[in-house]
Structure formats: C-alpha cells, structure tokens
C-alpha cells in the first residue's frame, strides 16, 4: 500500500508493530509526544523531530537562524508536554555543497539561542551533503525528575481541559508571511510562527507541582490534539468555542483574509502550547497560582466527558462533532494541499 | 564560504565553536565517535548518523531491509568505538508519499534485526513526507558502564596499533555491486557492504577487560582514521602494509578490477572494524585471550611513534607518508567524485 493511501498514522501503527518491545526499561514507546526509558536510576525522556525543506519550511520565510530555532522549539515542546527537564541534543544535517557555511552556523546559533534558555547543550551530530534539499533532525534528551511525567492517556471523566497561551497565532503568522504582509506589523503572530517559545517551564510546573492528568502539545492543531488525547484516554470531550484563547490581532487577520478565526484556533497547528486535563478541585487551585509563576494566560476550554458523548464543540449555533483538522503527513489533508506540494511552513 | 570549499571537517570546526559548552555534565562533545554525557549517576554515550538517498545509498544496491540494517550498524559501530553498551534508538525518516508501506516496514525490520543482536530497542522517531529523496537519521544511546569509555585522543608513543577483523571488504563488495557482478559470488564481501556487523561486543571487551588506550571505528577508511587518532592524540604512527588484514577474495577482486588491494584496505572505508592502540605488554596478553572470546581476527598493524616522525606507511618499496584518503563530505574527494554526484553506497 502506498503511503499516501495509508497516511501517517497508519504508517506509525505498522512501525509500532515492528519495533514493539516488552523491555521493562521502555516505560513509554511510540505512543506519546516522547519516549520514556529507564537508564540506571534515571528516567529519561527522548524525542526527535525531522524538518525537510519544501515540506516543513522554505527559506523564503525562514532564515537559517529561525529554522534552527523552530526545530529546536518543536523538540522542546515535545519534552514540555511530558513535563521533562531538557538536557542534551544531537543534530543531523544534510545540506547541499553550494550552501554557505554562514547559513549552517546561523542554523546552529538559532538552535543554541532557544535551547540555551532551557538548559539544552548540543553535544553531537552528523553533517552530510545532500543532493538537493536541506534535511534536519534534532533529537533531544530530557529528565523526568522523580520519575514523574505526563502522558496523553490519563484523562478522566470530569477533568477540566485547559490550554496555555494563545491559539491560532502561528497560523495567522503564516498567513501574514504568505500574503507578503512583511515583517513590520503584527509582530507577536510572526514571532509565534518564526520564533515560537515552547512551554517547557510551564509543562514542568504542571507535572511537578499542579497534578495534571493528561497532557499533549498543540503542534498539529487543537482539534487533532483533543482527538488524540481522548482516543488514548478512552474518553470524550466538550470544548467551548467561546472560551478558546484567541488574540485580537489573530481574529482581525483571519477575518481580513476571509478566514474564520475559530478555524485558526482549532486547526491551525504549530502553536506549541500545552493542552492538558486536570481534576476540577486542582484546577481551582492551579488557576489561582498560575499568574504568580507565568505571564502567559491559562484558560479552561472544556471538560472531559464519557466516551459515548463523543468529542464535541459547543458554539453559538449549537453543538457539532469536533473532527481532527490538523496536518497528517503523506495524506491529502482537509485544509492543506498534498504533502509533496505543501505550502512552506505549514507544518512542523 | 561555500561548504564545498570549506569541507566537512572545516564545517564541523565552525559548528563546534557555536555549540561549545563548559558544562561539567558534557564529558565529551563533538570531538569523538560519540558524545559522552553524565545523567544522574549514569554515563551515557550518544551518537547519530544521517543517510541520504543518492549520497549514501541507492535502492539499486540496497534493499530497504539492508538500508535499515546498515544505518543501525553504522551507529552501533560508533558506540562500539567507545566501548559502550547499546540501549535505545530513535529514528527520523522522510520518505516520498508514493513509497510503499512495505518498504518502510522492511527498513524497520532491518534496523530491528541488527539492533536486536546488541540489545537495541527502537523507542521513538518521526516520520514525515519528503518531496523527493529518502532521508534517514538514527540516534542511538548507550551506557558507558563503570564510567569507562575509549577515546580517539589517548594514544601514547610505544602503543601497538591493532585492528579487528578485515579491511577493504566493504569496498570490494561495492565494486562487485557496481560492476553488476550480482549477489551470487563472494558472499562475504557483499555481506560486508550490505549487512556489516559492528564490533560492539569486541569494543566493550577492549574497553572493559583489555585496557585499550585510544579507539576509533573504521568508517571513513583506515588512512583517515589513523590520521584522526594521531592528530587528536598528538602522536605519529608507523603502519606496516604487509600486516594489513585483507581477505584473499578481496585481493582477487581488487586486482581483477585493476585496483591495488592496499588501496581498498587503506582508503576503502565502511569496514566498521575497530582500530585501537594498546600498551605492548597488554597487547601480548590480549592477543592470547582474543580467540577464546571472538571468531574474527585481531591484527597488530603498527606502532604509535613520536609526532615528529609523522604518519607513515612501510611497504616493500620503502616508507611513505600515509595521507588520509577517506571520504569527506562537501569536498571533492581524492578517490571519489563530488559529493553531489557520488557513486551509490560510497560512504555511510
């Protein structure tokens, strides 16, 4: 079967069957944002992300510095979703021989810049020539201190569903870039797209000090992530559209380009915010303490419900099923052209 | 400066300047076969390798199974050179949407097959679409038990230089494949090229129980690796051509295609054998014990000498400088066409 028919998730299922391990040292394999393994007395979290020129980025919009930043940020976001503390990174890079050395060092400066904020040291890698396009992969190791980490699969009926920061900003930033709006206005949404800040300390706080149940990072779009989390937890969810945290400038940009702001927030992806569930009594406590620690908002957007109820979105017009609208590799996607002709920067 | 002018090693030097870390937990950074980091009470070894279709392999010669095998083997070989015990792997894969799912699962079967021999479990990864070629990267974690590991930089004057197994076999296998000789004859050299077995247990034994000083794996060709090891150790070396372990079938294949068998052994690369130095008294002991543990040969091929002496090859015709003839990315290489028009399978 061709990959374009099987889709990314179908392929991952097949790969899981090949590599399945019953080792007691593999605590979490391919099912979550990152793998969790035991090494000696430590619990390590390992994640990796690949970026391909023409699929994940194009140099029209991304400088090498921004590209390095973004790739490292995407990996950090996966660790954040587990509540892990970042430690080390290794970098694989395939690049054409006619590239400038400065482009490559700028890429590393970008990775270093965002990595250093969270204590990441780049300790190794492999550099190789590529016959055409740039290909990058970053693998990041972190520690689950005290053996504590969050999973996608632990949501329970009655939990509050909450999200950090803002939704749809990255999508709005992309719109601005593709429309040639330049880098002069709406700086926060361009930042969100080009230099996103992963929620590493927030994720760590949520796991170590707030008692979250399930957590996932919003890289494929909120609708996709809610569906993942519910499927793996065996629950349903009710999301209230009116509660989705959308920046005013994002609403404005969406409407002015003929889009629905809710679509940006629900399906935009790449926001690198954290979506989590937490028991109601802990939510009350957390929402009080949050602003003492963090500047970004924290918003309750819904509830975990019984699985029979399904995954629904409440809007002014009533209730409708919330289908995953995020990005899936290989497949033709709902909102996006085929993977091989994908618009730049569409997906991390 | 363009990468083709700077060369791979020049680029690595620049990258090192960007990512240099003075963290006490980074024991070894970019200078060796793998990085060594401290996590809690464990000493971890981390290595990564990237493979690009058209640069490192072509599907004319490699089946997906063999490709997976070889990529995992290349990583295992880096851990072997440190004497580390392999633990976990993550895999990044970018593949065209019109590829068959079976090709991808075969790739994973290949990685699993050789990985399982050495206790590796594949715990995660990232799969993404590629607009054209296949890109692969494997990152492998191992443990340096007891905090012991080998480095390239510890050779001392007077050490015996020795090598495991055979040299030039992989190069002969490539010759056979490119000449269309088919898979019917000279099975050992085809195996060496398509399904190399990294010297993991040998490396571990050498570090934990034989007292080696410096070690490196022979992936870029013996001449290159001797030069690396001597440069990093600040020593010279005398290599005796007559002692190089070359299989009779490799001599035969080299001669019949108009090549010098010594060139295969010295510059062929991809043999994934271990090159190491050891004090003479320990060598005597090791060479006696070796055959009780391993079936492959172990051969003394020279001595570490004072740096003023240089790095020389002794042949029947006398002495000459042993220049690195192995592969370097981005550059036009001595024996090979430019990276971007590289012959398939030339370099891992």
């Amino acid at each position: 079967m061709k990959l374009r028919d099987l889709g990314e998730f179908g392929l991952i299922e097949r790969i899981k069957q090949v590599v399945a391990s019953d080792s007691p040292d593999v605590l979490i394999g391919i099912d979550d944002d990152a793998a969790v393994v035991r090494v000696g007395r430590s619990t390590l979290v390992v994640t990796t992300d690949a970026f391909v020129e023409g699929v994940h980025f194009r140099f029209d919009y991304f400088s090498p510095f921004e590209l390095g930043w973004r790739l490292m940020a995407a990996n950090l976001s996966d660790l954040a979703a587990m509540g892990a503390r970042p430690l080390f990174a290794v970098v694989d890079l395939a690049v054409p021989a006619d590239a400038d050395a400065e482009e490559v060092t700028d890429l590393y400066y970008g990775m270093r810049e965002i990595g250093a904020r969270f204590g990441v040291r780049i300790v190794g890698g492999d550099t190789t020539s590529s016959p055409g396009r740039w290909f990058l992969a970053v693998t990041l190791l972190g520690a689950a201190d005290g053996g504590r980490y969050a999973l996608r699969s632990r949501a329970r009926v009655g939990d509050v569903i909450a999200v950090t920061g803002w939704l749809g900003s990255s999508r709005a930033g992309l719109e601005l870039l593709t429309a040639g709006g330049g880098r002069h206005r709406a700086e926060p949404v361009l930042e969100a797209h080009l230099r996103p800040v992963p929620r590493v300390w927030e994720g760590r706080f949520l796991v170590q000090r707030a008692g979250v149940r399930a957590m996932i990072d919003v890289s494929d779009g909120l609708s996709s992530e809610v569906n993942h989390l519910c499927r793996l937890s065996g629950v349903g969810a009710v999301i209230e559209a009116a509660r989705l945290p959308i920046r005013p400038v994002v609403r404005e940009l969406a409407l002015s380009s003929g889009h629905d702001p809710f679509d940006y927030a629900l399906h935009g992806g790449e926001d690198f915010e954290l979506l989590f569930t937490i028991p109601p009594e802990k939510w009350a406590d957390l929402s009080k303490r949050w602003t003492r620690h963090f500047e970004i908002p924290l918003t309750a957007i819904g509830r975990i419900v019984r699985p029979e109820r399904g995954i629904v979105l409440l809007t002014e017009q009533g209730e409708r099923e919330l289908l995953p609208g995020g990005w899936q590799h290989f497949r033709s996607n709902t909102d996006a052209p085929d993977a091989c002709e994908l618009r730049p920067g569409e997906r991390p």
Side-chain angles (χ1 to χ4, degrees), chain A:
Chain A
M1 184 185 275
K2 298 285 179 196
L3 296 186
R4 70 169 80 251
D5 302 318
L6 186 61
E8 182 182 6
F9 300 130
L11 178 63
I12 290 171
E13 282 306 313
R14 293 208 183 179
I15 291 171
K16 271 166 65 180
Q17 286 168 22
V18 179
V19 303
S21 163
D22 53 3
S23 163
D25 291 333
V26 181
L27 303 175
I28 303 296
I30 287 178
D31 274 316
D32 222 285
D33 288 287
V36 183
V37 296
R38 202 150 35 195
V39 176
R41 297 181 183 202
S42 304
T43 305
L44 294 185
V45 182
V46 190
T47 185
T48 191
D49 263 309
F51 264 39
V52 183
E53 186 185 357
V55 176
H56 301 91
F57 68 92
R58 240 171 52 193
F59 284 116
D60 323 18
Y61 303 127
F62 284 96
S63 69
F65 180 91
E66 287 161 345
L67 177 63
W69 174 301
R70 208 175 139 83
L71 180 50
M72 184 62 81
N75 268 282
L76 282 163
S77 186
D78 285 325
L79 284 197
M82 312 293 282
R85 176 170 53 93
L87 296 170
F88 307 105
V90 295
V91 179
D92 290 289
L93 173 62
V95 56
D98 65 356
D100 277 318
E102 286 65 31
E103 294 179 283
V104 177
T105 47
D106 278 354
L107 180 88
Y108 279 83
Y109 279 117
M111 289 191 283
R112 189 184 76 172
E113 180 85 8
I114 185 66
R117 285 201 199 179
F118 301 108
V120 173
R121 282 140 298 182
I122 298 171
V123 297
D126 191 16
T127 53
T128 171
S129 46
S130 166
R133 311 208 179 219
W134 288 55
F135 167 79
L136 287 130
V138 169
T139 301
L140 191 57
L141 261 77
D145 292 320
R148 277 189 291 276
Y149 50 88
L151 292 181
R152 297 173 172 181
S153 54
R154 289 179 182 157
R156 291 201 209 147
V157 175
D159 280 1
V160 170
I161 303 172
V163 68
T164 63
W166 305 98
L167 296 172
S169 304
S170 178
R171 182 67 184 78
L174 175 66
E175 187 63 36
L176 210 57
L177 287 169
T178 51
R183 301 194 173 205
H184 309 302
R185 61 197 190 98
E187 200 52 42
V189 304
L190 289 177
E191 289 272 334
H193 191 74
L194 298 171
R195 289 183 300 280
V197 176
R199 306 310 189 189
V200 176
W201 303 139
E202 290 83 353
R204 202 166 147 65
F205 178 88
L206 290 169
V207 164
Q208 297 284 348
R209 298 177 56 191
V212 298
R213 280 227 177 94
M215 188 149 67
I216 191 169
D217 77 317
V218 185
S219 53
D220 287 346
L222 185 79
S223 58
S224 266
E225 311 301 0
V226 169
N227 272 273
H228 279 315
L229 189 145
C230 287
R231 187 172 46 80
L232 288 165
S233 296
V235 296
V238 177
I239 302 291
E240 296 177 56
R243 290 180 179 268
L244 296 177
I246 305 173
R247 283 187 170 105
V249 64
V250 170
R251 285 183 201 279
E252 221 176 88
L253 283 164
L255 293 171
S256 72
S257 60
H259 292 100
D260 182 343
F262 287 118
D263 277 347
Y264 277 18
L266 289 168
H267 312 302
E270 300 187 318
D271 283 316
F272 299 120
E273 299 293 352
L274 296 174
L275 174 78
F276 62 92
T277 83
I278 186 168
E281 66 282 6
K282 290 191 173 166
W283 168 253
D285 182 49
L286 171 63
S287 56
K288 269 180 238 152
R289 290 191 294 146
W290 183 260
T291 49
R292 267 183 268 155
H293 297 278
F294 303 106
E295 289 183 9
I296 58 166
L298 185 70
T299 314
I301 59 169
R303 285 281 182 138
I304 295 294
V305 296
R306 281 175 297 113
E308 307 85 73
R309 183 79 200 281
I311 298 164
V312 297
L313 182 73
L314 290 184
T315 69
E316 287 175 7
Q317 288 77 44
E319 193 174 304
R320 64 174 171 88
E321 195 184 355
L322 179 60
L323 294 170
W327 177 254
Q328 197 185 150
H329 277 285
F330 307 118
R331 282 260 167 97
S332 298
N333 283 263
T334 327
D335 298 317
D338 182 84
C340 291
E341 302 153 50
L342 182 60
R343 272 191 295 165
E346 189 89 23
R347 262 282 303 133

